[in-house]
Amino acid sequence: MDLGGMNFEKYKFELGARIMKARLKKGMTQDQLAKAIGRSQPAITQIESGKSLPGTGTLFKLGKALDTPVNRFFPETVPNRVLGTTIFGLLWVRIRHWWYRRKRNKSAEEES
């Protein structure tokens, strides 16, 4: 599936890589991050490896635990550069995340 020129699997991998980069910059282990956001260490591994897409709530918990604006986890887009961490930027992140999850769910239904 192609989402605006970006393969969905590549999107998940890039999202996970950005989360891992923020975690390493903060000097945290996967276990420490998992405890900070109330998830398991294997869940963090799944997210960082691109095998799992975190929900919106988890994304915001990750951002808070890593002292990183949530929009930094996503690929660079015009709204990310222009809106940044303003309320409109955060709204854009939520809308975009909802859209990608919606697309993923539709593709999973079509494969069934």
Side-chain angles (χ1 to χ4, degrees), residues 85-103:
T85 57
T86 66
I87 189 69
F88 296 111
L90 296 175
L91 180 60
W92 173 250
V93 167
R94 291 190 80 140
I95 290 169
R96 189 170 44 182
H97 183 71
W98 167 83
W99 178 258
Y100 286 124
R101 288 184 65 91
R102 182 176 160 265
K103 287 287 193 180

Side-chain angles (χ1 to χ4, degrees), residues 48-60:
E48 288 185 354
S49 66
K51 293 180 177 147
S52 171
L53 186 64
T56 306
T58 300
L59 277 173
F60 282 98

Side-chain angles (χ1 to χ4, degrees), residues 27-87:
M28 294 177 83
T29 65
Q30 286 184 341
D31 194 50
Q32 289 170 328
L33 179 57
K35 288 177 182 170
I37 67 167
R39 299 290 304 264
S40 67
Q41 183 273 325
I44 301 300
T45 300
Q46 292 286 312
I47 291 168
E48 288 185 354
S49 66
K51 293 180 177 147
S52 171
L53 186 64
T56 306
T58 300
L59 277 173
F60 282 98
K61 288 177 184 178
L62 285 165
K64 184 174 181 177
L66 297 171
D67 294 325
T68 303
V70 176
N71 66 330
R72 294 226 177 118
F73 296 144
F74 292 93
E76 192 63 27
T77 62
V78 172
N80 270 0
R81 286 191 304 272
V82 174
L83 300 174
T85 57
T86 66
I87 189 69

